[in-house]
Amino acid sequence: MGFVAMVFSVVALVHYYLWRRLVRATTIPGRTRRVLTWVLVGMGLLVPVTLIGSRTDWGHFLAWPGFFWLAVMFYLFVFLVILEIPRALALLAVRRSERRAVTGPAAQRSGARVAAPVTAASAGTGTQAGSEAEDGNGEGNGDRQRNLAQDAGQDSPRPGAGARDGAPTAIGRRLFIARTAAAVAGAGALVTVGSGIRTALGDPVIERVGVTLPRLDPRLSGLRFAVVSDIHLGPLTGIRHTERIVRMINELEADVVAVVGDLVDGTVAELGSMARPLADLESRYGAYFVTGNHEYYTANGPGEWIEELRGLGIRPLQNERVEIGHAGAVLDLAGVNDIAGGTVDAGPDFERALGGRDRSRSTVLLAHQPIQARDAAGYGVDLQLSGHTHGGQMVPFNLVVPVQQPVVAGLGEVDGTRVYVTRGAGFWGPPVRVGAPPEITLLELRA
């Protein structure tokens, strides 16, 4: 509950920031501002409703609009934060220009101070205008009132200027800066999200990786693993998503298929039909599965999916290992449950999976989260295959992932154990991938 409260608090703060920059800073008080405010409030409420409802039958219809807005919201925030510095510099230039216009050359020579004239829009405010706190644009009440006049077509008058010098302008300079920043952020967010949707829904990239293991029996050199993770069957995917992944894996002609967790975001009743193409997976030594954290988030838990996958010809490795015989040599292939299983007394058990084995043989471990390699290293595991991170899924989340996980994507090492982290073949939440395309990996062991 604490995590959920934190997420909703962050969403609320982000929407408030968007309101300050996209609504308050770009409009004058009136009907337009009220309408846009309520629209943004509605979009803000849509996010938590979608996050909760998409896990239920009644809320699936919210998935597309809700997750699409979640992605747009995120990139609006990112672009607006990036634009804060140029926006501040532009406003600083405007203030300096206004000060020069108010003081004037003659006043600067004499050292006299000339009071700024009162615009028609600010008349009648009295001394209260000077005492009010500045708003989010760094403007006092007098500035706000000048903006009202500017938005109506009047620029700030200059001392001694005639009527023709105060000729109407299209919009005030501050409004122009705010609206320009909003337009740039909006265009940037929509282009980024649009491109990210195309990437997320397109074919996964085939990553071909060779991994040298110093202790690998030379007879095992060339053994190939097709690694796929984070397929995330759910309300935004269909059966063709699974069929495409199966077809692409089969084209690799791998010796072993490793499905490294987060296969589903729902129950067998909801998603069983989408999973059926997995029965067509082809490999020399079989297909294997370990649970990810999302299997434990489903309404009926991972048990029903473990049995469903057995029926589809995929062997779950629940804190256990099997022997892969190849070219007269043997490789230990082990799998451990995800960390999330600890909430239901079914967490990872490294001793059960790896204890008592012949350490002269190389071991490949399937474990959903890269951080599990810290435990695996103590058992002399040569290589761990993981997913979970999505490679960050949407830049700049890739910069945040290292706070929790030792490897974000690709090949790394943890305490002497090689770790390969696939970016995953699907997506979670927004159907958007930016800077982290979906991936299926063909990994070849080398002595």
Side-chain angles (χ1 to χ4, degrees), residues 92-269:
L92 181 61
V94 167
R95 291 191 192 97
R96 287 180 175 175
S97 175
E98 289 177 344
R99 277 198 294 269
R100 285 195 298 269
V102 168
T103 57
Q108 291 174 2
R109 287 195 299 270
S110 64
R113 207 170 160 188
V114 181
V118 178
T119 65
S122 62
T125 60
T127 57
Q128 181 183 358
S131 62
E132 289 197 10
E134 292 189 350
D135 67 8
N137 289 319
E139 301 164 359
N141 190 63
D143 288 330
R144 289 200 298 272
Q145 297 295 345
R146 277 197 297 274
N147 278 345
L148 295 179
Q150 290 166 355
D151 197 58
Q154 294 178 324
D155 206 350
S156 298
R158 300 184 301 275
R164 68 176 183 275
D165 293 327
T169 58
I171 58 174
R173 284 172 288 184
R174 286 182 177 81
L175 277 174
F176 175 78
I177 292 170
R179 290 175 179 177
T180 299
V184 171
L190 289 175
V191 169
T192 301
V193 171
S195 174
I197 290 175
R198 182 177 180 180
T199 299
L201 299 182
D203 288 353
V205 175
I206 300 296
E207 298 285 1
R208 299 175 185 270
V209 180
V211 180
T212 299
L213 302 180
R215 297 190 305 164
L216 186 71
D217 189 314
R219 292 173 293 178
L220 293 171
S221 189
L223 189 69
R224 302 191 304 168
F225 285 74
V227 185
V228 65
S229 179
D230 302 279
I231 296 174
H232 284 289
L233 299 179
L236 296 183
T237 63
I239 193 169
R240 277 190 270 182
H241 176 61
T242 319
E243 290 173 341
R244 174 174 54 192
I245 290 171
V246 170
R247 171 180 54 79
M248 294 181 71
I249 289 176
N250 290 344
E251 289 172 355
L252 298 177
E253 298 181 345
D255 298 304
V256 179
V257 173
V259 183
V260 200
D262 279 7
L263 172 65
V264 295
D265 281 310
T267 64
V268 171

Side-chain angles (χ1 to χ4, degrees), residues 215-217 330 357-362 382:
R215 297 190 305 164
L216 186 71
D217 189 314
V330 177
R357 65 185 182 82
D358 182 355
R359 292 208 176 194
S360 67
R361 298 198 307 220
S362 291
D382 298 270

Side-chain angles (χ1 to χ4, degrees), residues 67-435:
F67 284 124
F68 175 77
W69 169 246
L70 185 63
V72 172
M73 174 204 79
F74 173 71
Y75 280 109
L76 279 173
F77 175 79
V78 169
F79 277 101
L80 285 169
V81 168
I82 292 172
L83 289 169
E84 284 293 343
I85 292 178
R87 177 179 174 277
L89 292 175
L91 288 172
L92 181 61
V94 167
R95 291 191 192 97
R96 287 180 175 175
S97 175
E98 289 177 344
R99 277 198 294 269
R100 285 195 298 269
V102 168
T103 57
Q108 291 174 2
R109 287 195 299 270
S110 64
R113 207 170 160 188
V114 181
V118 178
T119 65
S122 62
T125 60
T127 57
Q128 181 183 358
S131 62
E132 289 197 10
E134 292 189 350
D135 67 8
N137 289 319
E139 301 164 359
N141 190 63
D143 288 330
R144 289 200 298 272
Q145 297 295 345
R146 277 197 297 274
N147 278 345
L148 295 179
Q150 290 166 355
D151 197 58
Q154 294 178 324
D155 206 350
S156 298
R158 300 184 301 275
R164 68 176 183 275
D165 293 327
T169 58
I171 58 174
R173 284 172 288 184
R174 286 182 177 81
L175 277 174
F176 175 78
I177 292 170
R179 290 175 179 177
T180 299
V184 171
L190 289 175
V191 169
T192 301
V193 171
S195 174
I197 290 175
R198 182 177 180 180
T199 299
L201 299 182
D203 288 353
V205 175
I206 300 296
E207 298 285 1
R208 299 175 185 270
V209 180
V211 180
T212 299
L213 302 180
R215 297 190 305 164
L216 186 71
D217 189 314
R219 292 173 293 178
L220 293 171
S221 189
L223 189 69
R224 302 191 304 168
F225 285 74
V227 185
V228 65
S229 179
D230 302 279
I231 296 174
H232 284 289
L233 299 179
L236 296 183
T237 63
I239 193 169
R240 277 190 270 182
H241 176 61
T242 319
E243 290 173 341
R244 174 174 54 192
I245 290 171
V246 170
R247 171 180 54 79
M248 294 181 71
I249 289 176
N250 290 344
E251 289 172 355
L252 298 177
E253 298 181 345
D255 298 304
V256 179
V257 173
V259 183
V260 200
D262 279 7
L263 172 65
V264 295
D265 281 310
T267 64
V268 171
E270 295 166 342
L271 307 175
S273 61
M274 294 185 197
R276 287 194 192 109
L278 295 172
D280 297 326
L281 282 172
E282 299 172 358
S283 63
R284 184 184 299 185
Y285 302 124
Y288 300 87
F289 168 80
V290 292
T291 55
N293 53 307
H294 280 250
E295 271 74 50
Y296 297 94
Y297 300 157
T298 61
N300 299 330
E304 64 171 6
W305 276 110
I306 288 170
E307 294 308 312
E308 181 74 8
L309 291 175
R310 288 189 198 278
L312 296 175
I314 299 175
R315 177 169 178 176
L317 293 178
Q318 298 179 274
N319 298 323
E320 56 188 316
R321 67 178 181 269
V322 296
E323 295 180 349
I324 303 293
H326 177 76
V330 177
L331 174 83
D332 285 330
L333 177 65
V336 292
N337 295 347
D338 184 70
I339 297 169
T343 60
V344 291
D345 295 325
D349 188 336
F350 290 88
E351 179 61 31
R352 179 181 169 192
L354 299 167
R357 65 185 182 82
D358 182 355
R359 292 208 176 194
S360 67
R361 298 198 307 220
S362 291
T363 302
V364 174
L365 175 68
L366 309 184
H368 180 62
Q369 299 193 38
I371 197 172
Q372 292 175 276
R374 292 175 180 168
D375 291 308
Y379 287 88
V381 169
D382 298 270
L383 173 66
Q384 176 175 305
L385 304 178
S386 298
H388 185 63
T389 67
H390 296 207
Q393 185 164 325
M394 299 191 304
V395 170
F397 277 126
N398 59 307
L399 303 178
V400 179
V401 174
V403 174
Q404 186 192 38
Q405 300 292 337
V407 183
V408 178
L411 190 61
E413 187 170 309
V414 177
D415 298 335
T417 292
R418 308 297 300 275
V419 180
Y420 186 84
V421 180
T422 175
R423 295 187 299 267
F427 53 84
W428 181 81
V432 177
R433 277 184 172 267
V434 178

